[in-house]
Amino acid sequence: MAEDAETPETEEEEPIKPRKNGLYPGVSDELAENMKSGWADTELHGLAPLAQAPYTAARRAALSARFPGERLVIPAGNLRTRSNDTDYAFRAATEYAYLTGDQTQDGVLVLEPRPDQEGRDSHEATIYLLPRSNRENGEFWLDGQGELWVGRRHSLAEAEQVLGIPAKDVRELPAALKEATGRVRAVRGHDAGIEATLADKVTAETDEELRVYLSEARAVKDEFEIGELQKAVDSTVRGFEDVVRILDKAEATSERYIEGTFFLRARVEGNDIGYGSICAAGPHATTLHWVRNDGDVRRGDLLLLDAGVETHTLYTADVTRTLPIDGRYSDLQRKIYDAVYDSQEAGIAAVRPGAKYRDFHDASQRVLAERLVEWGLLEGPVEKVLELGLQRRWTLHGTGHMLGLDVHDCAAARREAYADGTLAPGMCLTVEPGLYFQADDLTVPAEYRGIGVRIEDDIVVTEDGNRNLSAGLPRRSDEVEAWMAGLRQA
């Protein structure tokens, strides 16, 4: 990476901080003056609004109605340091992206209480952003976040066209917030500077109410969101196909070849992966969140691949398949896989409007408990096993979760609105039962040890049942084998 230099200090501006060991000691007056001129006007006009702009406007209107007369502050967040002066790739806070469609670091959405034309409680939305890099003080070429270093950002006028929200300079926001009166709520955990500015105006309790509302508001997806989730899933399906085609190369290297192969699809067709890919071969498949991905890939073993593409609008898929690395399941692998498949079938069948959220989990767990009793690994009756949760030694986790902008979406929702709630059309969730026999588990026959199987699909609740967004990936064991054989011959 290149180094930046120092800008001359002026009375109006603080100096742009140079690197400690930069090779240029300073900037001559002549160079500073030279860099101010000779640049073409690049302002963009007539920009089309984001496709989700009408939807984000509706979400802001619902938020306004929920908290009348209160100032609401929702930040995007700031860059986070990875090492020294390098940063992690920025990902806007979910609440901010949900309400604006914007993905700009340091951005802040503020809803100011204003009566509408009829005098009713309402809000005026303003998005506070960094404007274009300053060319007068040299920021655009001297600052580490200047335009010539990290790329051009929208002007405030351009942002207004794209987002459909009036835009102001975010550097003016702290002073405005300090002068604010009346009740204020803010989403915490993303922007320490904004939180410090509001320290004497907010409470943890009322801020949490805002976060909870925004989490629950995302439970039912609108048409745009379901379309984006389908895009994420479709790209994920292609990513799984990519992996099957290169399994021989992964055998010669490691699980990281699988991870890199899927990541390429995610970056080419989307924004990123939605979460750390789990590329777990052999006994690593029994570790629920195996993301080290540094193990061997061996013929005769299973590969548990849990991965999802995140779209450019930040919606993520979350799909799992457990594949025979050599293309054929052994008899025992097939027996365990088919049990998980039957469990998933029962779970998916229980997803419908009006059903309790936990019904699909209970249906899946019952099938797993029945098989564990049938195999002699647990002593029945099944009702007793379920009452005591004994099947959890080998299945551990819940059978699914909400899905959306976060892979575990709506996580701040109240229990009564989520785990103890009722399914409604537009909700999107995963159904992902699994069985995991640890390599050191002496309570199961030796041949079971080191086998882990999970099958996961992304399901949207419809008016009359459900739709499997990831139906493009085979699930039944014989279909998986035929699918893999076809891809390897292509």
Side-chain angles (χ1 to χ4, degrees), residues 346-372:
I348 292 174
V351 175
R352 57 184 179 272
K356 294 295 184 184
Y357 175 84
R358 62 174 59 255
D359 285 354
F360 76 93
H361 169 73
D362 293 341
S364 289
Q365 290 293 299
R366 176 171 291 278
V367 173
L368 294 180
E370 289 171 350
R371 297 302 168 86
L372 292 166

Side-chain angles (χ1 to χ4, degrees), residues 275-356:
Y275 55 95
S277 299
I278 299 169
C279 308
H284 289 163
T286 66
T287 300
L288 298 186
H289 289 164
W290 177 261
V291 292
R292 299 180 203 169
N293 298 335
D294 58 0
D296 293 331
V297 179
R298 301 186 181 93
R299 299 179 67 80
D301 284 346
L302 297 175
L303 167 68
L304 191 157
L305 178 59
D306 183 337
V309 172
E310 178 186 78
T311 65
H312 293 293
T313 57
L314 306 185
Y315 288 85
T316 184
D318 182 7
V319 177
T320 306
R321 291 293 184 269
T322 305
L323 310 173
I325 292 169
D326 60 9
R328 298 286 296 179
Y329 296 100
S330 71
D331 290 343
L332 180 59
Q333 289 170 350
R334 189 183 305 274
K335 181 176 84 166
I336 296 170
Y337 183 96
D338 288 349
V340 175
Y341 171 81
D342 291 343
S343 169
Q344 193 199 29
E345 282 283 274
I348 292 174
V351 175
R352 57 184 179 272
K356 294 295 184 184

